[in-house]
Amino acid sequence: MSFRLYNTLTRSVEPFAPADGETVRMYTCGPTVYDPAHVGNFRTFLFNDLMRRALRLQGWKVVQVQNLTDVDDKIITRAAATGKTIIEVTEPITEIFHKDRRYLRIEDAEVYPKATTHIPEMVALVQTLLDKGVAYTAEDGSVYFGIDRFPAYGRLSRLDTREIRSGARVAQDDYSKENAQDFALWKAAKPEDEAASAAWDAPFGRGRPGWHLECSAMAMKYLGETLDIHGGGIDLVFPHHEDEIAQSEAATGKVFSRFWCHGEFLQIDGTKMSKRLGNITTVKDLRERGISAAALRHFVYSTHYRKQMNLSGEGLEASLEAVRRVGELAHRLETARGGTPELAVAAREGEAAFRAALSDDLNAPEAVAALFGFLQRANAELDRKGGDQEALAEARRVFLLMDGVLDISPRVTRVLVGPDTVEPALAAFTDLDEAERSGFAWGVERLQARLAARKARDFAAADAIRAEVEGRGFVVKDMPLGTQLERWR
Ligand code: AMP
Ligand code: ZN
């Protein structure tokens, strides 16, 4: 069966293959780095991650470019408010983005270009558009794109031509469909821009790039004039992607991207999660609540990317439990001595269902269901303690294949707590962040208090401490040599 994707351009699910038959050239819009990304943003980045892993499962190579927007209206406003330059605002936030992304096991894109290090490419693109007569310099010294000079304007977002107000101009980066106007490619430098080191020289005047321009210039630099896939969240369809198409296609005369793929919103209490509404949850918040990367991935992939979903505590709890079962299966497959012939059948059928689900417009919920269907059958077969080595190898292969795409098996961090301090041992957990390490240190201290309570035969106090530690998301196990403190991620 062919691999199919929904294309926003045609509003239909179409067969997809890379143009050259080998390598998928994919551009995904990245974060604007003025505040840490929230889990709504990460829903979109997890959708991109699923896409790249599913494309590879098809046997294609993937080159993904994800930009970091490090100059735009919001960043300059933030810089002005804090007396910083834009780089001082964006550098620490970029670091947090990568840290959060790695925590969520989102694979590295091949390139993470920053807007501010690609100014010459953007200047060249503006110059081309001026030379072709589709762009013009206005009285304010800024360069605008004349949307009436590009007949296909509005095709992606199905903009009714009656809504297009050519000649009217909009300078800000983001605006509504009702306000489709000529948009700024290059904004004449203002004192705030100069103060924040956000102005560059150009033949058409000193200024800074508009948000849309950045993606066109960097996508074409790294991926060529026609991309296979361009992705982002659904809110980017208009104006961002509409404007990217206009700039790129007016400059090259070629189709800018063959497929446009958009992920739906993560909501909270039925409203879009957004910085503007102040209803955000960050990855840091989740980590502090003991929600593992595996659980969040499972939670996000349990809804199709084109459906809205609501972030809920119960949903995350259910995902924590679900991925615990995945972790148990991983452990059983690792330690089993053999399988039954039926285990191999379950593996092969599971693989077929899994591949079919992903080929059907990245149906992750079906793919998750295929994994859990396999999990149930595999557990039953492993209970029978067969000796078939090939069947076991087949089951291990299929499990790794599935988990290689979904990446939802939890990882465990354990510390054995004895009466002596184990604080130095915690230093070995380099993948823990500071809050997690201090959480462990707290857990160790509490378990030592519990050991003391037990020694004093105060079992009520010991039980209360155990409940307190478990209440913070730890697993507590009594072992012959001490008490084990575990956290699943
Ligand atoms: P931004 O940093 O605002 O440029 O957003 C980065 C990415 O997150 C874009 O692809 C947005 O479309 C996407 N995004 C923003 N809010 C949400 C949300 N609540 N749910 C899913 N994706 C979102
Ligand atoms: Zn973009």
Side-chain angles (χ1 to χ4, degrees):
M1 227 193 312
S2 69
F3 185 82
R4 295 173 311 283
L5 282 177
Y6 181 84
N7 189 351
T8 307
L9 206 53
T10 57
R11 302 288 193 280
S12 61
V13 176
E14 299 174 34
F16 171 86
D20 70 1
E22 217 173 88
T23 304
V24 180
R25 282 158 315 130
M26 170 160 108
Y27 187 91
T28 53
C29 291
T32 306
V33 281
Y34 73 106
D35 261 339
H38 53 70
V39 288
N41 302 132
F42 276 109
R43 180 186 182 196
T44 294
F45 304 145
L46 282 166
F47 151 56
N48 302 149
D49 189 50
L50 177 75
M51 175 101 87
R52 55 177 282 134
R53 294 184 194 223
L55 291 167
R56 279 212 312 267
L57 186 66
Q58 289 294 309
W60 294 314
K61 291 190 208 111
V62 174
V63 178
Q64 180 192 358
V65 177
Q66 180 155 60
N67 65 302
L68 300 165
T69 299
D70 64 347
V71 50
D72 90 327
D73 298 349
K74 286 179 279 196
I75 295 169
I76 290 165
T77 307
R78 177 63 56 86
T82 51
K84 291 181 177 161
T85 62
I86 51 169
I87 291 191
E88 286 166 348
V89 171
T90 59
E91 254 178 6
I93 304 296
T94 302
E95 234 168 81
I96 294 172
F97 165 68
H98 286 301
K99 184 174 150 213
D100 289 348
R101 180 179 68 71
R102 289 198 187 100
Y103 175 72
L104 295 182
R105 310 182 192 171
I106 295 173
E107 288 186 345
D108 291 357
E110 280 61 31
V111 195
Y112 286 104
K114 292 179 180 171
T116 53
T117 55
H118 293 77
I119 300 293
E121 287 84 351
M122 293 182 230
V123 168
L125 184 55
V126 174
Q127 190 61 57
T128 303
L129 294 170
L130 280 168
D131 294 346
K132 295 207 167 199
V134 288
Y136 61 91
T137 306
E139 316 77 65
D140 63 354
S142 298
V143 181
Y144 288 86
F145 187 95
I147 57 176
D148 61 339
R149 302 175 201 182
F150 181 68
Y153 193 81
R155 200 154 63 97
L156 178 72
S157 53
R158 303 273 161 108
L159 205 63
D160 187 330
T161 42
R162 280 171 302 137
E163 289 170 289
I164 296 182
R165 294 164 51 198
S166 55
R169 286 190 287 273
V170 50
Q172 74 262 32
D173 284 327
D174 219 351
Y175 54 94
S176 71
K177 232 162 127 165
E178 293 67 46
N179 257 321
Q181 301 173 11
D182 291 357
F183 59 91
L185 296 167
W186 187 260
K187 305 180 188 196
K190 294 192 188 132
E192 310 85 275
D193 303 337
E194 297 287 359
S197 295
W200 291 267
D201 287 324
F204 34 82
R206 195 168 162 78
R208 64 176 170 99
W211 172 35
H212 319 302
L213 182 71
E214 140 196 4
C215 287
S216 287
M218 300 197 293
M220 292 196 283
K221 168 168 181 172
Y222 293 101
L223 299 169
E225 290 175 340
T226 301
L227 327 174
D228 288 308
I229 297 174
H230 193 128
I234 191 81
D235 55 336
L236 299 188
V237 173
F238 189 88
H240 188 52
H241 289 163
E242 194 69 65
D243 291 354
E244 280 190 43
I245 291 175
Q247 298 159 162
S248 312
E249 299 194 356
T252 66
K254 298 198 181 121
V255 169
F256 177 45
S257 181
R258 299 169 54 230
F259 277 70
W260 288 85
C261 299
H262 296 98
E264 258 297 347
F265 287 146
L266 179 72
Q267 303 189 319
I268 198 141
D269 302 326
T271 326
K272 176 193 175 190
M273 181 179 288
S274 85
K275 288 169 199 168
R276 198 168 48 82
L277 298 173
N279 60 354
I280 63 166
T281 301
T282 61
V283 171
K284 183 163 173 275
D285 297 334
L286 291 184
R287 287 180 86 155
E288 282 169 8
R289 278 163 56 189
I291 306 295
S292 62
L296 185 73
R297 294 180 69 96
H298 176 273
F299 177 74
V300 165
Y301 292 154
S302 296
T303 300
H304 191 271
Y305 76 90
R306 285 198 289 120
K307 290 208 174 93
Q308 293 180 342
M309 71 184 298
N310 218 34
L311 185 70
S312 76
E314 304 90 79
L316 290 170
E317 289 297 326
S319 288
L320 272 172
E321 173 55 23
V323 299
R324 193 188 55 72
R325 293 172 59 208
V326 176
E328 270 171 13
L329 177 64
H331 183 70
R332 283 194 85 179
L333 287 171
E334 233 167 74
T335 52
R337 298 283 176 81
T340 56
E342 291 75 14
L343 179 62
V345 175
R348 279 194 288 272
E349 290 179 1
E351 178 182 1
F354 187 81
R355 286 180 181 272
L358 290 175
S359 296
D360 179 18
D361 189 25
L362 300 177
N363 195 333
E366 285 290 327
V368 170
L371 168 58
F372 278 85
F374 168 60
L375 176 145
Q376 237 169 10
R377 288 172 73 182
N379 276 331
E381 292 307 322
L382 290 168
D383 286 344
R384 291 169 55 198
K385 301 203 185 306
D388 187 333
Q389 293 310 308
E390 267 172 45
L392 179 61
E394 187 66 350
R396 285 176 176 159
R397 180 187 68 79
V398 168
F399 178 77
L400 289 179
L401 177 146
M402 292 174 166
D403 202 41
V405 175
L406 299 173
D407 209 348
I408 58 173
S409 359
R411 291 175 198 149
V412 59
T413 309
R414 303 195 163 88
V415 182
L416 190 65
V417 182
D420 303 326
T421 178
V422 293
E423 187 87 41
L426 293 175
F429 296 120
T430 47
D431 59 335
L432 298 186
D433 74 4
E434 211 141 307
E436 283 161 336
R437 215 166 297 159
S438 69
F440 259 100
W442 171 86
V444 166
E445 203 180 278
R446 297 308 294 142
L447 289 188
Q448 284 169 336
R450 178 168 170 264
L451 287 174
R454 293 212 312 184
K455 213 166 165 195
R457 309 197 66 76
D458 185 352
F459 296 111
D463 287 349
I465 294 173
R466 179 188 189 118
E468 183 191 358
V469 174
E470 286 174 341
R472 289 223 197 158
F474 288 102
V475 179
V476 176
K477 286 185 190 155
D478 286 315
M479 316 284 277
L481 291 177
T483 309
Q484 195 157 278
L485 182 66
E486 285 184 1
R487 174 153 262 166
W488 292 70
R489 296 198 295 145

